[in-house]
Amino acid sequence: MDTSSLIIMAIGAVLIAVGVPLFSIGRYLSAPEDKKKQKARGIKVIGIFWMAVGVLIYIGVLIFRVFKVI
């Protein structure tokens, strides 16, 4: 895979990462009042999942850099 393909894939991943939470928030804001509490719980779960994935990626990068230097 060449560099330009990797850059395009990275741009796509960023757009997906931005789009999913925005879509969830949009669904929450357009819901009736009685369903907002249920949708808010789902948004919290999605947010926790995205934060956990981000933390794991950063930990993976840091570990890779530490072992690459040694």
Side-chain angles (χ1 to χ4, degrees), residues 5-55:
S5 296
L6 290 174
I7 290 172
I8 292 171
M9 285 178 60
I11 290 170
V14 169
L15 291 175
I16 291 169
V18 170
V20 169
L22 286 176
F23 177 75
S24 295
I25 292 170
R27 284 184 52 202
Y28 170 73
L29 292 175
S30 65
E33 287 297 323
D34 59 335
K35 299 220 177 198
K36 281 192 178 180
K37 192 174 273 190
Q38 182 182 15
K39 289 191 182 234
R41 184 175 293 129
I43 291 172
K44 286 180 188 177
V45 170
I46 291 171
I48 290 169
F49 174 76
W50 281 91
M51 286 188 289
V53 169
V55 168

